[in-house]
Amino acid sequence: MAAEPNGDPESLTQPFLALQRSTINSTSQVAIVGANVCPIESLDYEIAENDFFKQDWRTRGKMQIFQYIFMKWLLCFLIGGIVGVIGFCINLAVENLAGVKFVVTSDMMLQRRFGMAFLVFSLSNFGLTLFAALITALVSPASAGSGIPEVKAYLNGVDAPGIFTLRTLFVKIIGSVCAVSSSLLVGKAGPLVHTGACIASLLGQGGSKRYGLTWKWLRYFKNDRDRRDLVTCGSAAGIAAAFRAPVGGLLFALEEMASWWRSALLWRAFFTTAVVAIVLRALIDVCLSGKCGLFGKGGLIMYDVTSSNVAYHIVDVPPVLLLGMIGGLLGSLYNFFLEKVLRVYNLINEKGIAYKIVLACWISISTSCLLFGLPWLASCQVCPADAGEACPTIGRSGNYKKFQCPPGHYNDLASLIFNTNDDAIKNLFSKGTDDEFQYSSIIIFFVTCYFLSILSYGIVAPAGLFVPVIVTGASYGRLVGMLIGSHSNLNHGLFAVLGAASFLGGSMRMTVSLCVILLELTNNLLLLPLMMVVLLISKTVADAFNGNIYDLIMKAKGFPYLETHAEPYMRQLTVGDVVSGPLQLFHGIEKVANVVHVLRTTRHHGFPVIDEPPHSESPFLYGLILRAHLMELLKKKAFLSDPVPTDIDAFEQISAEDFMKRGSGHYNMVEDIDLTEEEMEMFLDLHPFTNASPYTVVETMSLAKALILFREVGLRHLLVIPKISGRSPVVGILTRHDFMPEHVLALHPTLIRSRWKRLRLQFPRLLKLF
């Protein structure tokens, strides 16, 4: 395999957050998954076309083919229905938990018991944060963060233990509810994407032998290719449930998450998000009848900014262009700060679980002090006579929070900061409130949200970025609208929507999906032209400085993500320049002891199989056999007493189910297989189980061309064969590790010319546009 003699065949770069002592990792294959450093491995989307596979498919009839197609659509229906129900329950739980907290605190404020009000507010936030941090750190560390980088890496071909387990699913749901309800500036959209991916993966694992759930119809999905499609549908369903945006969720999966896409997957993902929308609509109607608790109205995920026509003219375009440029600059700066904070947090988290918990609690206490203390800096405003709702607001939601103000007055900063993120967005997006907020209050709110969202994301708890970015962008969008005033035909609520779009574009660098998500959120199609302009400008400006937030987090965590493009210097190299040895080979008929020795001394996951005389006239490459298949052959003890092919049908000893892949993160160990001395001296005929048509490239092919092939086909191993016959039938194997820029530049440091390096450092993203 292409690896160091004692190293991992697919050893990847060290996670930048974990260690920065070297640019490449030549000994281990690890990444930061959630909050812990874990081993990872690549997924194999290639179909192993061996004799065993061909025989299995030849025995399938029309009924089995119908079962396969029917189960695909049925699983998409189940994913959409389950994610829709979970998304609704999360919203309902957050609304009620936060509602009770704010009502109790507001009642004490009305009684002028400010000290007791702060104590109740801070202790409830502290308790919720502590519970979320404890279950995450102790039960499922993979649940920390939004989960979008982990899911995106999985869809690119990187698997990690624990990211899609049942334990991760429950911790993600419960932890997200507690973290959002604790007034931390985090969102629930990212965790919902991870939740949808978990549900899709669990449904697609083909059941569980441990719990007796092994329905025969589900056995077709025990492979990486079908699970990838289901996880893609699950991620689309997550965004659809978070924002009640079915088309936006579909486009989000297409634009941001999926590395492979085709029309059949488009239809199934569309069907999944449609089911989510129908389920949410039905459950919201139930809540509107008053059957979901004191605060459960179910409509908190829809922001109706206006119900009238939006009239704008050419004079309104310059402020929109300004918003786009501001969003690009602030978004790129936001990504820069967030990456630095995550590095610092990881240094703290490496010290142990206690430090993770203390960090989360410290962020909670600091957040509570700011949210309760900052509104005291704002002066009380007189309630407007034409207010469309009760002023001041007594309780949780509303545009006119009373806080410490006398009767007939409200605190505009408390209406934003002493509130849930969803209600703050509603207040910023609301129409007819152009005179509600002061300049100082909006500036304080923007600065607070900008930095609190950065500090809150890296703690050991489920936390998303979508909603914090929306509320931060809406605040400075509202500020720009206030500064422009009567010089524009747009009201301040619309400026807040465009500000949210610009900040989303500047930090996440998506355009089409974000545009549709915001349009579905605000229920106003007339904003489409302005929204498109804002997103295009903000993304273009931000791309000149750094990458999108999820790509930066993936890189910092150490995930070996393969980009859609090849670096320019890769065209100067051939695959022979990066492939390395020693190469582990098997013969078509191999001694059991040799197989066991290689499996024990290496961590390779694919081995070339060659035939040599006397079994063939000359040495030639027969194919590639996977480590998992060798493990099954050893477990079933399909051995030969002599090193010659026999007429014994190996298919009688092994079934297709034996070769199906287990759930994500479950691996067989060669140490668990008991073999006697006599069995170790026997032989294995590898021919029926070897992929006789693996993807191969000649050693003179450019590395850039091989990278495109590797990514587009979804390979795990790419065999390199010699240009001239007469040499060894195979030169080496390319894995994901061999295409990583850190690995390539470490092998060939002279590729970095001084002038090119200077340009890359100054304009890293701008060059990629051309």
Side-chain angles (χ1 to χ4, degrees), residues 73-117:
W73 288 95
L74 178 60
L75 288 180
C76 288
F77 175 81
L78 293 175
I79 291 169
I82 296 173
V83 173
V85 171
I86 290 177
F88 174 79
C89 292
I90 289 176
N91 279 320
L92 195 61
V94 169
E95 195 173 0
N96 280 279
L97 277 175
V100 171
K101 177 184 67 178
F102 280 113
V103 163
V104 172
T105 306
S106 299
D107 289 343
M108 292 182 176
M109 296 287 289
L110 288 174
Q111 300 171 19
R112 317 299 290 180
R113 300 168 61 189
F114 300 125
M116 185 58 68

Side-chain angles (χ1 to χ4, degrees), residues 8-16 25 27-34 36-43 142 149-151 153-154 156-163 554-562 603-605 661 664-667 716 735-737 740:
D8 188 348
E10 297 173 271
S11 59
L12 309 174
T13 58
Q14 287 277 11
F16 291 167
N25 173 16
T27 59
S28 63
Q29 185 178 355
V30 296
I32 297 178
V33 181
N36 280 3
V37 177
C38 301
I40 58 175
E41 70 171 42
S42 297
L43 297 169
E150 284 81 359
V151 177
Y154 178 87
N156 190 256
V158 181
D159 192 16
I163 58 173
M554 276 196 302
K555 184 178 180 181
K557 284 176 172 285
F559 287 110
Y561 186 84
L562 293 178
R603 296 175 59 190
H604 304 342
H605 290 273
K661 186 174 179 179
S664 176
H666 294 87
Y667 313 117
R716 184 174 186 176
T735 63
R736 181 176 292 262
H737 160 70
M740 292 295 104

Side-chain angles (χ1 to χ4, degrees), residues 592-613:
V592 173
N594 294 340
V595 174
V596 173
H597 173 73
V598 171
L599 293 180
R600 285 178 176 173
T601 56
T602 69
R603 296 175 59 190
H604 304 342
H605 290 273
F607 303 90
V609 176
I610 63 172
D611 273 338
E612 293 181 325

Side-chain angles (χ1 to χ4, degrees), residues 501-542:
S502 69
F503 198 43
L504 282 168
S507 61
M508 299 186 179
R509 313 297 163 80
M510 293 175 279
T511 52
V512 179
S513 58
L514 288 179
C515 184
V516 175
I517 288 172
L518 287 171
L519 290 177
E520 290 182 291
L521 264 179
T522 56
N523 199 25
N524 197 317
L525 192 61
L526 296 174
L527 286 173
L528 178 61
L530 297 180
M531 198 85 71
M532 294 172 65
V533 171
V534 163
L535 286 168
L536 287 171
I537 293 177
S538 62
K539 182 185 185 311
T540 302
V541 171

Side-chain angles (χ1 to χ4, degrees), residues 248-284:
L250 170 67
L251 294 175
F252 172 81
L254 168 62
E255 183 177 5
E256 178 64 18
M257 301 299 293
S259 296
W260 296 276
W261 197 267
R262 60 187 188 279
S263 58
L265 180 58
L266 175 70
W267 279 105
R268 288 199 297 274
F270 181 75
F271 173 69
T272 306
T273 56
V275 173
V276 173
I278 294 171
V279 170
L280 283 178
R281 182 69 263 173
L283 293 174
I284 288 174

